Amino acid sequence: MSLKNELKAHIKELSELETPFYVYSEKILKQYAKKTFETLSPAGEVFYALKANANPRILEIIRSFGFGADCVSGNEVKLARKMNFRRILFSGVGKTEKEIREAKNSNAEINAESLEEIELISELIPKSEIGIRINPGIDAHTHRYITTGTEENKFGIPLARSEDAFVFAKKTGLEPVRIHFHLGSQIFGQSAFLEALEIAINLADELSEKGVKIREIDMGGGFGISYENDKSEFLLSGFASEVKNLASEKYVLLFEPGRFVVARSGAIITRVLYRKSGSKNFIVTDCGMNDFIRPALYGAKHRVVQLSERSGRRTVADVVGPICESADFLAKNVEMNLPERGDLLAVLDAGAYGYTMASNYNLRCKPAEYLLKEDGEIVKIREKICPEI
Ligand SMILES: Cc1ncc(COP(=O)(O)O)c(C=O)c1O
């Protein structure tokens, strides 16, 4: 059953909850976690990127399929350790001294992103094994804010300098064992990944001649899903066999999917506050950009669907939030049956980069999160969090 239909089947219980709130389908989450893990694991080790959704209850479900954890902050590392993820990677362009020290205590494995960071790691955690993130200079043709693998981006060490970086790390006494890259997010084709993997393999081969023995190539995440429909998404299966062949038995591959695992399972539910008509029609809801920022930040086009049935006249309207910013919208030019005040709307595919990007902007509360369990029960998995006043 699609998320929309699952939500509609529970309209009565959902309408009793304070809006806006996130709700995740346990069934869909498990489907995607299983598919991701089972398809990628024959080709390598699979790590879930916590940044997409770090609710502990969601993490528990994901971890149960066998995923490791991919973290980008000290707190993500702490949570992953607390949740007993079997292996933890720690990437990020600006790790602090404190975060590096704590990573050691949590047994997290660091992917370093600059020469100065490598030097600092060698002082704080001498002789440890590390990965180094390279910037392969490949454009994955995605939104400019989620492209990370070109020379324009701040991430990783530019390809031309990466060999020296590995040799330098070795000289400091560290053991560089992993080449890391992450090309960006919402990638649909294999070609950028294959190109970057070939670059990494060549680099690893060259490094072995210089006495640096690379064991793993971490290909990052970025596998896309279409926000326009339930079906289109990155084809993991062909990809897994292709990259496995390329890496042969020489290197162990690592993957760090985030969005692909959780996006489809979640929706944010909002209530219609007011309708305004004029040369442009607006449906004003109680879901602001503080609750869900993806449309404002990335121009993401999520499907907004009506959970309350209406058979009235058709209208085309912008569905907007209550915040004093013109960027505060959920979707533009949505064709729908004119809703009534109090009707529930669902923004679909909001399971990834939804709650994790929520804020208290305008002194608003961060929304609560619920899990729609497989047996149909709806349980709160996080209270709403309001700022101190
Ligand atoms: C280093 C790293 N790995 C993995 C991911 C996960 O990306 P996605 O959610 O697109 O799979 C990100 C996201 O930005 C990232 O920065």
Side-chain angles (χ1 to χ4, degrees):
M1 199 195 286
S2 70
L3 180 60
K4 177 180 163 187
N5 290 340
E6 251 195 276
L7 295 173
K8 279 194 162 184
H10 290 85
I11 178 76
K12 191 165 170 300
E13 301 99 291
L14 295 173
S15 58
E16 282 160 13
L17 304 175
E18 185 187 358
T19 50
F21 60 87
Y22 282 90
V23 59
Y24 308 102
S25 153
E26 184 177 24
K27 197 171 77 200
I28 297 176
L29 176 62
K30 284 184 171 174
Q31 276 166 7
Y32 270 86
K34 185 168 190 284
K35 168 157 93 172
T36 311
F37 192 80
E38 288 185 354
T39 316
L40 288 177
S41 54
E45 281 197 48
V46 198
F47 297 76
Y48 166 68
L50 266 72
K51 65 193 301 195
N53 187 319
N55 184 294
R57 190 68 183 269
I58 299 291
L59 293 181
E60 202 176 280
I61 295 171
I62 292 172
R63 194 217 42 210
S64 72
F65 285 86
F67 286 81
D70 174 53
C71 301
V72 287
S73 76
N75 277 344
E76 284 190 0
V77 170
K78 271 193 207 159
L79 180 59
R81 175 48 60 221
K82 190 169 154 196
M83 307 276 318
N84 282 324
F85 275 90
R86 55 176 184 80
R87 203 180 151 192
I88 302 173
L89 298 173
F90 183 20
S91 304
V93 72
K95 302 177 201 76
T96 63
E97 262 193 54
K98 183 165 174 269
E99 285 177 318
I100 293 172
R101 278 186 219 280
E102 287 178 358
K104 175 175 182 261
N105 299 335
S106 295
N107 244 339
E109 300 166 57
I110 295 181
N111 285 327
E113 301 220 12
S114 66
L115 290 181
E116 290 189 340
E117 186 190 342
I118 292 170
E119 202 170 4
L120 181 63
I121 297 169
S122 74
E123 289 160 18
L124 300 177
I125 330 176
K127 299 193 168 50
S128 56
E129 289 191 349
I130 60 159
I132 297 179
R133 179 167 177 177
I134 63 166
N135 185 330
I138 290 173
D139 190 346
H141 300 291
T142 181
H143 188 278
R144 70 186 196 286
Y145 286 2
I146 49 177
T147 296
T148 54
T150 77
E151 282 163 16
E152 294 281 293
N153 307 124
K154 66 182 174 180
F155 301 98
I157 291 181
L159 186 59
R161 304 213 177 134
S162 49
E163 195 173 307
D164 289 347
F166 280 87
V167 172
F168 170 73
K170 181 95 185 160
K171 278 201 190 121
T172 66
L174 294 170
E175 273 310 325
V177 294
R178 183 171 52 256
I179 297 176
H180 178 220
F181 60 81
H182 170 75
L183 302 176
S185 213
Q186 276 297 70
I187 302 170
F188 288 90
Q190 292 185 15
S191 60
F193 283 110
L194 299 183
E195 209 181 317
L197 179 56
E198 279 189 41
I199 288 173
I201 291 171
N202 288 339
L203 175 62
D205 289 348
E206 278 162 28
L207 283 168
S208 102
E209 286 163 24
K210 305 211 159 175
V212 179
K213 184 84 198 84
I214 297 298
R215 194 169 66 220
E216 298 175 330
I217 298 178
D218 178 349
M219 301 187 61
F223 313 111
I225 61 127
S226 165
Y227 286 100
E228 282 163 24
N229 61 60
D230 275 339
K231 296 275 173 295
S232 320
E233 56 199 31
F234 187 93
L235 292 174
L236 282 183
S237 52
F239 169 78
S241 48
E242 196 79 29
V243 293
K244 170 99 179 113
N245 282 344
L246 266 182
S248 64
E249 298 300 317
K250 270 203 308 203
Y251 303 108
V252 175
L253 295 178
L254 313 187
F255 308 99
E256 304 171 344
R259 183 190 319 266
F260 196 87
V261 182
V262 284
R264 292 273 193 231
S265 67
I268 185 158
I269 311 294
T270 179
R271 222 176 275 277
V272 173
L273 295 176
Y274 306 105
R275 295 99 39 99
K276 297 211 287 184
S277 54
S279 58
K280 180 116 200 156
N281 299 321
F282 295 98
I283 305 295
V284 183
T285 73
D286 59 8
C287 178
M289 62 196 284
N290 73 297
D291 302 299
F292 187 61
I293 202 174
R294 288 184 32 75
L297 186 61
Y298 303 119
K301 293 192 172 73
H302 284 256
R303 288 171 291 162
V304 176
V305 296
Q306 290 174 277
L307 297 183
S308 317
E309 293 291 346
R310 291 288 162 208
S311 53
R313 73 177 166 84
R314 296 292 279 170
T315 184
V316 174
D318 284 5
V319 181
V320 302
I323 289 180
C324 231
E325 302 272 351
S326 293
D328 183 37
F329 61 89
L330 293 174
K332 299 217 166 180
N333 297 317
V334 181
E335 199 187 328
M336 51 168 55
N337 294 334
L338 185 67
E340 299 285 323
R341 290 190 62 216
D343 275 5
L344 287 192
L345 306 179
V347 183
L348 299 181
D349 303 321
Y353 304 105
Y355 186 87
T356 49
M357 292 184 126
S359 76
N360 294 119
Y361 185 44
N362 278 197
L363 288 186
R364 286 168 57 86
C365 303
K366 285 202 215 176
E369 293 177 288
Y370 292 86
L371 184 67
L372 169 50
K373 291 174 40 184
E374 281 174 303
D375 63 9
E377 191 192 355
I378 298 176
V379 291
K380 193 183 271 185
I381 57 173
R382 187 163 3 223
E383 295 287 342
K384 69 175 182 181
I385 301 176
C386 299
E388 261 181 54
I389 293 164

